[in-house]
Amino acid sequence: MEKISVLIADDHKLIRETWSFILNNDPRFNVVAECGDSEQAVEMAKSKKPQIVLMDINMLPISGFEATEKIRKVSPASRIIGISMHSQPAYAKKMLQIGARGYVTKNSSKEEMINAIMEVHSGNKYICDEIKNNISELVLEENRDVPNVNALTEREIQIINLIKEGQSSKEIAMSLNISLKTVEVHRHNILKKLKLKNSASLVNFINNVATSM
């Protein structure tokens, strides 16, 4: 089986070397380059054309966000996973908006990072558990001024998280192994509890949750 080629871009040498060691000792991966400089990361992505780029968002001389945008242009087939110490959903949202396929915090486990790489390589998007949990907490705690937000069930919060990730009702049904009709019922109940008029209002609510920090 062909190994998944990986480029690691992080300004901390120990982190780069640690991940390089972990991934190169896994038969599924091949680290083709390590970069401590964001502009070098762009150049290495252009020349190496890695399948996966692990991009620290706090990089110099340009940010990981800008480097991600540039890599998308010079190596469009490369799938980028944002890596950061920041656990606020707004950072993950921004990375996904500019073309990254995943976001993992530095608090995440080795197993979760590897899972993220495999999911993104398979064509899926991946948001780490820490970010997902923070979104749920924001819905329940940060927005108490929103009518009946605390009445949301665990399943409804799951669906809100999946909508936030950009999944359609059909994709949500597949993710949660429930029927499309059940998803639509849950969406209707969410709108009713939050006193929102339509799906557009729900999307706007979710986006405000992620950017209000």
Side-chain angles (χ1 to χ4, degrees):
M1 184 178 67
E2 183 181 355
K3 293 186 177 184
I4 299 170
S5 57
V6 181
L7 184 156
I8 301 172
D10 195 294
D11 57 359
H12 290 89
K13 183 178 181 181
L14 180 60
I15 291 177
R16 293 197 308 273
E17 292 180 345
T18 299
W19 276 112
S20 181
F21 177 80
I22 290 170
L23 295 178
N24 279 329
N25 278 278
D26 187 309
R28 294 170 292 181
F29 309 113
N30 176 33
V31 177
V32 295
E34 299 175 30
C35 307
D37 176 303
S38 49
E39 288 187 339
Q40 182 187 16
V42 175
E43 291 303 313
M44 293 302 292
K46 183 178 180 180
S47 63
K48 298 289 187 179
K49 297 291 190 290
Q51 293 167 295
I52 296 290
V53 176
L54 302 181
M55 173 62 67
D56 183 6
I57 67 172
N58 297 309
M59 295 277 282
L60 292 173
I62 60 176
S63 72
F65 297 112
E66 188 175 349
T68 293
E69 292 178 311
K70 290 187 175 184
I71 290 173
R72 292 279 297 145
K73 294 177 182 178
V74 301
S75 184
S78 296
R79 292 170 176 166
I80 302 167
I81 299 174
I83 311 294
S84 177
M85 67 180 72
H86 300 294
S87 61
Q88 295 94 330
Y91 287 94
K93 178 185 177 184
K94 184 174 181 180
M95 280 297 285
L96 294 179
Q97 284 179 331
I98 62 178
R101 300 293 297 177
Y103 188 94
V104 178
T105 65
K106 292 185 177 181
N107 289 328
S108 301
S109 66
K110 175 187 74 174
E111 290 76 16
E112 184 162 36
M113 174 67 85
I114 290 175
N115 188 33
I117 294 173
M118 297 303 295
E119 284 291 316
V120 169
H121 180 258
S122 297
N124 302 317
K125 291 183 178 179
Y126 189 91
I127 301 295
C128 71
D129 289 340
E130 185 176 15
I131 297 293
K132 291 178 182 177
N133 291 338
N134 285 347
I135 292 173
S136 298
E137 289 171 7
L138 282 169
V139 170
L140 290 172
E141 298 173 11
E142 299 275 342
N143 291 277
R144 288 179 179 171
D145 57 318
V146 179
N148 294 330
V149 70
N150 290 324
L152 292 171
T153 66
E154 182 178 353
R155 177 66 87 187
E156 288 162 354
I157 292 172
Q158 283 182 311
I159 289 174
I160 286 175
N161 286 336
L162 294 174
I163 293 171
K164 175 66 188 68
E165 292 178 22
Q167 291 196 22
S168 65
S169 292
K170 185 176 180 180
E171 290 170 329
I172 292 171
M174 294 178 64
S175 295
L176 299 179
N177 196 28
I178 58 178
S179 70
L180 179 60
K181 183 177 180 180
T182 299
V183 174
E184 294 299 338
V185 169
H186 281 306
R187 290 184 68 136
H188 173 77
N189 290 337
I190 291 168
L191 292 176
K192 185 176 180 180
K193 289 178 180 180
L194 298 180
K195 297 185 178 180
L196 300 172
K197 293 182 179 180
N198 49 42
S199 294
S201 299
L202 176 58
V203 171
N204 185 57
F205 167 78
I206 293 170
N207 287 337
N208 285 336
V209 166
T211 58
S212 62
M213 297 170 298

